[in-house]
Amino acid sequence: LDHGFIEIGPGTLTLGGSLGFFTKYYKGVTYSHVLPYEKYDYKWNWTYIVAAFRVGYYYNFRELDIPDLNAYGGLSTGVRYALFSQTYNGPDEAEPDYTGSSANFHMAFFLGANYFITDKVAFFLEFGYDISPVTVGATFNL
């Protein structure tokens, strides 16, 4: 969510917020060190949930006769909640199943562009250290 509140040159300064999540995992295999060799599987899973306040600047390309295109960048700050879980099907004394979580301060930057296909709907592509390294989505102008 971004709301423009001050026009500066060909663009607009915005305030808003974001809420999102990102998940990733790693699966692996290990083998026992004694005969008969046995195969054990393990999986590490990370999930991040971010709630943040955003400040951005949207530059509109109307001066180049592309009024439906905006490039933008900004900063966000808030809370990042992280959840980690590990599963392992090997001997219990080697690596037991584990779950942990934490809440941390979140500060990030983002760069992106959106293109309006109608007066109310745009598609966007965003890069940065925010909810995820790359975000693709739709924007709805209320």
Side-chain angles (χ1 to χ4, degrees):
L1 172 70
D2 283 320
H3 179 72
F5 70 97
I6 296 175
E7 294 213 13
I8 302 172
T12 304
L13 192 62
T14 65
L15 292 176
S18 64
L19 178 64
F21 75 95
F22 180 75
T23 187
K24 62 182 178 179
Y25 71 91
Y26 175 77
K27 288 175 76 171
V29 175
T30 187
Y31 295 91
S32 65
H33 298 288
V34 294
L35 290 174
Y37 297 116
E38 295 184 41
K39 175 180 152 185
Y40 303 115
D41 300 312
Y42 60 93
K43 181 178 178 183
W44 297 335
N45 189 64
W46 294 267
T47 300
Y48 301 99
I49 301 169
V50 176
F53 171 75
R54 288 169 57 120
V55 175
Y57 180 77
Y58 281 69
Y59 176 83
N60 186 265
F61 288 92
R62 72 179 141 257
E63 293 176 1
L64 299 176
D65 289 333
I66 313 172
D68 297 328
L69 179 64
N70 297 295
Y72 62 90
L75 300 171
S76 67
T77 185
V79 176
R80 178 185 294 258
Y81 178 74
L83 176 64
F84 173 77
S85 64
Q86 170 183 284
T87 55
Y88 178 68
N89 72 347
D92 288 340
E93 67 277 359
E95 290 202 33
D97 289 351
Y98 172 78
T99 300
S101 64
S102 66
N104 299 296
F105 176 73
H106 171 79
M107 186 152 189
F109 65 89
F110 55 90
L111 296 171
N114 63 13
Y115 186 81
F116 280 87
I117 58 171
T118 71
D119 288 345
K120 301 284 184 185
V121 178
F123 291 106
F124 72 88
L125 176 63
E126 190 171 295
F127 300 95
Y129 178 76
D130 200 15
I131 294 169
S132 68
V134 178
T135 305
V136 176
T139 298
F140 302 99
N141 193 355
L142 302 176

